[in-house]
Amino acid sequence: MIVIACGKKQQNQKLRKYSYIIIDDDAESILKTKTTASGFSELSFIASASNFQDGLNLVLEHQPNLVFLEISPKNASSQLSLSFISELHRFFQEIPKIIITTKQKDKAFDAIQYGVFDYLLKPVLEIELRKTVLRLNKANLETKNNISVEEPVSIVIDNTPIPQNIEKPLTICIKSYGDYRYLNAEDICYFQADNNSTDIYLNTGEMITAFKTLKHFESVLTYPFIRIHNSYVINRNYIFRIHSGNSICYIKNSSKKIPFSKTYKANVDQIIADFSAGNYLEI
């Protein structure tokens, strides 16, 4: 019995500590999540934030292993959404593992496209967090031992597994009154706002209208889709020219000139930086 107990202790000592930050605009939810997490010796709390900018600042400063993120905030002014993950990709080669904590189930599929590590419904239950921690430990051990795992990971909500095929090219389904139109995301050049709908322009020259706002597409799509104007989200891979003086981006195989605004100038600067970071020659 003594030998077994020591063996377990030595095994536990090898488990990694995971520092974490909670980003949630509900103070009571922060406290509940923190209280549940305090029961796990592997988890080490750093700080919490109640809005997008404060949360981003904390992650950039402390670079935690985990971020517990609310994406359906009580207060819209907090600006908490899946777009927070896109913002992290601008600054990190490898972002912290994101664990969504929310009361809503309907954004699970969107979250999968962002590659989140887990999706937990609030209030976070001990058993669900225990599963997450065990998965973290397993992933850490496999990485340490250079084990390649072929089986797909899945998010489970209400005992229903949702498979994650993150490596698979993204397919976007435009649904309207029983009509399902499937688009390859890589074929989309840009999105243009049209009141409460959005026009989607393909590399074939075809245009398709979706009855969702541009803000919706901005929130669910990640790089290479970048917002550069109140009316445009552009696929960076179809830009062949940027004229800073005229504030215009040019699209491959198209006469379309897409303006960018001062509000999103930082995003355009990031596109320019991405080009120069590759196999690049400036003359």
Side-chain angles (χ1 to χ4, degrees):
M1 292 296 293
I2 295 176
V3 173
I4 293 174
C6 289
K8 287 184 178 179
K9 182 177 181 181
Q10 289 174 353
Q11 184 180 22
N12 287 337
Q13 287 176 340
K14 294 180 181 179
L15 295 179
R16 178 177 172 180
K17 276 271 190 181
Y18 306 101
S19 59
Y20 72 92
I21 286 173
I22 302 175
I23 305 176
D24 193 327
D25 70 328
D26 186 338
E28 184 178 353
S29 290
I30 290 176
L31 180 59
K32 287 182 178 179
T33 300
K34 183 182 175 183
T35 299
T36 303
S38 67
F40 296 85
S41 58
E42 297 96 330
L43 302 179
S44 176
F45 176 71
I46 296 177
S48 64
S50 61
N51 61 66
F52 187 108
Q53 289 302 325
D54 289 347
L56 179 61
N57 184 55
L58 281 179
V59 175
L60 296 181
E61 179 183 358
H62 297 284
Q63 301 184 27
N65 302 118
L66 312 174
V67 174
F68 290 88
L69 176 65
E70 170 63 85
I71 55 173
S72 296
K74 296 173 65 175
N75 189 345
S77 65
S78 69
Q79 299 182 312
L80 296 180
S81 69
L82 286 166
S83 63
F84 185 86
I85 302 173
S86 298
E87 190 70 6
L88 292 182
H89 279 289
R90 292 181 57 198
F91 305 102
F92 295 103
Q93 185 71 26
E94 181 178 352
I95 69 169
K97 286 183 169 56
I98 306 297
I99 300 172
I100 301 301
T101 55
T102 185
K103 293 182 179 180
Q104 309 298 326
K105 303 177 185 178
D106 57 353
K107 294 188 177 181
F109 286 98
D110 293 337
I112 287 172
Q113 300 300 331
Y114 280 77
V116 303
F117 186 79
D118 216 338
Y119 193 103
L120 304 180
L121 296 180
K122 295 195 300 188
V124 176
L125 301 178
E126 180 183 353
I127 180 62
E128 298 303 327
L129 187 55
R130 188 175 303 283
K131 293 175 184 177
T132 300
V133 171
L134 288 174
R135 284 184 56 214
L136 282 166
N137 290 337
K138 179 183 177 184
N140 182 51
L141 183 61
E142 287 166 347
T143 300
K144 184 177 179 180
N145 295 333
N146 294 319
I147 298 174
S148 177
V149 182
E150 297 294 333
E151 64 183 60
V153 182
S154 64
I155 288 174
V156 179
I157 296 179
D158 288 352
N159 297 318
T160 302
I162 304 174
Q164 296 186 74
N165 298 312
I166 298 168
E167 298 302 322
K168 199 173 178 181
L170 175 63
T171 298
I172 298 176
C173 177
I174 307 300
K175 180 181 175 184
S176 176
Y177 303 105
D179 180 21
Y180 296 79
R181 176 67 182 269
Y182 299 99
L183 307 176
N184 292 326
E186 61 188 17
D187 294 336
I188 297 172
C189 297
Y190 62 93
F191 298 80
Q192 182 174 355
D194 184 9
N195 294 322
N196 290 324
S197 63
T198 300
D199 294 332
I200 305 171
Y201 290 83
L202 306 181
N203 56 12
T204 59
E206 185 179 4
M207 187 272 284
I208 298 164
T209 298
F211 295 99
K212 294 284 187 180
T213 63
L214 187 66
K215 185 174 181 62
H216 171 79
F217 284 103
E218 180 191 14
S219 68
V220 299
L221 292 172
T222 56
Y223 188 88
F225 294 99
I226 303 173
R227 190 159 190 171
I228 62 170
H229 189 277
N230 283 339
S231 298
Y232 294 96
V233 167
I234 197 168
N235 185 340
R236 172 263 192 222
N237 294 331
Y238 284 95
I239 296 175
F240 79 92
R241 180 183 177 189
I242 298 174
H243 197 300
S244 296
N246 293 334
S247 299
I248 289 176
C249 292
Y250 294 79
I251 302 298
K252 293 178 181 177
N253 303 319
S254 172
S255 59
K256 181 70 175 181
K257 301 176 183 178
I258 297 181
F260 60 85
S261 60
K262 291 182 179 179
T263 304
Y264 297 98
K265 180 62 165 56
N267 289 352
V268 176
D269 291 340
Q270 182 61 44
I271 293 172
I272 294 173
D274 287 344
F275 275 115
S276 61
N279 190 7
Y280 178 77
L281 174 63
E282 186 172 302
I283 300 173

